[in-house]
Amino acid sequence: MTILYALISRDKTVLAEYTASSATGNFATVTRVLLEKIPQTNGKHSYVYDDFIFHYLTESGICYLCMSDEKNKHRIPFGFLEDMKQSFLTKFGHEAPQTAIAFAMNEEFSPVIQERMNFYNSEEADRSIDNIGVVKSQIEDVKDVMVQNIEKVLERGEKIELLVDKTDRLNQQAFRFESSSRSLRRALYWKKMRCYAIIGVVAVLLIYCASVSMCGFDFHHCKAGKK
């Protein structure tokens, strides 16, 4: 198992990074895309990409990430990340990284990343890592680390965004439908009232016409009959 690449970032702003001389590929580009998807909440995770696996842990808005070339080991990469985090905080504290510009710590901290990476890539680290008290106390059990394919994560994110967009459209359509329904109900109501009024007027006219035909316009026939 070999750690090939590591960085420290705040959101998408890389503060320091180091790439092993033996590393080849487009992992730097993949890492920039991955940084956009990593949540800012404290936690740790692993993502598989081709033959490599990206491990990261986040704490207080700072992301510590590394890439290794073996998928079945997490103990050493996360031990390396915890070690790198402690070294970084010891050197720069908690406040400076929150406002630093891109690569502000790179010149000073990249050699530290290289030195710790060389150690964790050695057989000595594999034998002694579990005896490092600080690291051991902060590393959770490997079972708590979920490994996912980065391509699936990106696809799911796109589907979620699409679903949100569709939901907005459905809400707008539902609002328009509700407004149209109210307008239609009002139109039907007044149409029914007009029909009732017309029927009433026709009924009155029919009654009047029948009365006129039997009694005359001035109703004198009906008055004469009564006399």
Side-chain angles (χ1 to χ4, degrees):
M1 199 281 306
T2 304
I3 300 173
L4 301 171
Y5 174 75
L7 66 76
I8 300 170
S9 70
R10 183 189 69 251
D11 294 331
K12 295 180 289 184
T13 303
V14 177
L15 303 176
E17 69 178 348
Y18 174 76
T19 306
S21 57
S22 59
T24 58
N26 69 331
F27 53 87
T29 302
V30 174
T31 301
R32 297 308 188 269
V33 176
L34 181 57
L35 288 176
E36 297 179 359
K37 301 294 181 178
I38 292 177
Q40 295 304 305
T41 54
N42 294 352
K44 60 175 61 176
H45 211 97
S46 298
Y47 292 108
V48 176
Y49 181 76
D50 290 342
D51 295 327
F52 302 101
I53 183 165
F54 292 84
H55 310 272
Y56 78 83
L57 67 86
T58 55
E59 184 175 300
S60 301
I62 303 299
C63 176
Y64 307 85
L65 181 146
C66 70
M67 183 194 77
S68 64
D69 62 356
E70 198 166 319
K71 300 178 182 179
N72 59 352
K73 291 184 179 180
H74 304 275
R75 183 171 55 93
I76 290 179
F78 279 109
F80 165 72
L81 291 177
E82 289 285 356
D83 192 333
M84 183 171 66
K85 181 189 75 173
Q86 293 299 328
S87 299
F88 184 78
L89 293 177
T90 299
K91 198 171 192 65
F92 300 106
H94 291 272
E95 296 183 2
Q98 301 297 331
T99 56
I101 62 174
F103 295 99
M105 286 86 172
N106 193 63
E107 182 177 356
E108 191 172 355
F109 199 72
S110 182
V112 178
I113 299 177
Q114 178 184 8
E115 187 272 326
R116 301 318 296 158
M117 186 182 294
N118 290 338
F119 170 76
Y120 280 89
N121 284 336
S122 67
E123 293 182 1
E124 180 184 357
D126 194 34
R127 292 192 301 267
S128 63
I129 183 173
D130 288 331
N131 295 323
I132 302 176
V134 175
V135 174
K136 183 177 179 180
S137 65
Q138 296 179 354
I139 298 178
E140 297 177 358
D141 189 79
V142 174
K143 292 184 295 183
D144 295 330
V145 180
M146 182 184 300
V147 179
Q148 292 183 353
N149 189 296
I150 186 173
E151 294 170 350
K152 290 183 179 179
V153 172
L154 296 178
E155 181 183 357
R156 189 183 73 168
E158 291 168 358
K159 287 182 179 178
I160 290 175
E161 292 167 3
L162 180 61
L163 178 61
V164 171
D165 182 58
K166 287 182 178 178
T167 302
D168 290 340
R169 289 201 299 270
L170 287 174
N171 288 335
Q172 294 172 4
Q173 291 173 1
F175 177 77
R176 287 196 296 268
F177 176 77
E178 184 179 357
S179 300
S180 300
S181 298
R182 286 197 298 267
S183 300
L184 180 60
R185 284 197 298 269
R186 284 195 297 267
L188 290 175
Y189 173 79
W190 287 114
K191 183 177 182 181
K192 184 169 64 174
M193 291 298 102
R194 284 195 297 272
C195 289
Y196 288 158
I198 292 172
I199 292 172
V201 170
V202 170
V204 170
L205 288 175
L206 289 175
I207 294 171
Y208 176 74
C209 290
S211 300
V212 168
S213 65
M214 291 186 297
C215 301
F217 284 102
D218 56 357
F219 296 95
H220 66 278
H221 293 303
C222 294
K223 293 177 182 178
K226 287 181 180 181
K227 293 179 179 179

